[in-house]
Amino acid sequence: MTTSIDILDDGFGRIRDTVAAALDGIDPGLLTVRVDPDANTIAWLVWHLTRVQDDHVADAAGSEQVWHAGGWAERFALPFAPDATGYGQSSADVGRVAGPGVTAESLLGYHDAVRAATGAYLRALDAAALDRVVDENWDPPVTLAVRLVSVLSDDLQHAGQAAYARGALERRA
């Protein structure tokens, strides 16, 4: 029998698959090109979706973010506050997810590390844990299940956007 935790883990695995496909063999120059002057870049989309997953899952797990623990912040060397996730960033900020530390390999490496941490966290849970309230600032309060589905939904959308952007940019080239 498939459990709700198995379904969540499968969903996070699908994000990883979509991210990997969007980055596989990509021309490095396309990572920071925009399909429209204010569109999000592939690099920003993958960085952001991974940062959100890392931030939210680490918060729920009570653990350190992979971004910090794994030295990814230093490797990427982005000009943002250490805990930036991309929320509320301007179009100019989107363009700052660039530089020597931002490669398809580093984006996928960071994503794989976050995916591994997410999977380990999910496998340590039982179904009852999904009912735990993780945010009382909402009415109704947000449970762990709702938070994880929210991250899953947001990440799948951004991964799809990255895949779309790659296809659109490659057709223009």
Side-chain angles (χ1 to χ4, degrees):
M1 177 192 226
T2 301
T3 69
S4 51
I5 291 171
D6 293 332
I7 293 167
L8 287 166
D9 193 44
D10 179 74
F12 283 103
R14 290 172 190 236
I15 295 165
R16 192 277 174 196
D17 293 345
T18 304
V19 165
L23 296 174
D24 184 44
I26 192 168
D27 176 331
L30 293 181
L31 289 173
T32 56
V33 175
R34 299 174 189 228
V35 296
D36 175 89
D38 285 321
N40 295 326
T41 66
I42 295 167
W44 184 88
L45 286 162
V46 173
W47 170 79
H48 166 65
L49 75 86
T50 307
R51 285 294 298 124
V52 168
Q53 184 177 335
D54 191 8
D55 175 76
H56 287 39
V57 171
D59 182 61
S63 62
E64 188 176 8
Q65 293 178 24
V66 172
W67 182 246
H68 302 293
W72 293 100
E74 291 79 19
R75 282 182 243 180
F76 277 70
L78 299 177
F80 306 133
D83 287 327
T85 63
Y87 276 127
Q89 287 191 322
S90 67
S91 180
D93 290 332
V94 168
R96 291 183 183 102
V97 178
V102 181
T103 64
E105 293 77 19
S106 66
L107 289 162
L108 186 58
Y110 174 46
H111 189 82
D112 282 346
V114 170
R115 170 64 184 112
T118 299
Y121 174 61
L122 290 172
R123 288 186 295 279
L125 297 176
D126 60 20
L130 296 174
D131 292 330
R132 178 174 61 92
V133 172
V134 296
D135 189 346
E136 295 190 13
N137 294 315
W138 298 90
D139 186 17
V142 176
T143 63
L144 178 59
V146 169
R147 176 60 45 85
L148 291 171
V149 168
S150 176
V151 171
L152 185 66
S153 172
D154 186 65
D155 279 6
L156 279 170
Q157 290 179 64
H158 287 315
Q161 291 164 352
Y164 170 82
R166 178 180 178 169
L169 292 168
E170 286 179 338
R171 277 188 283 286
R172 283 197 326 202

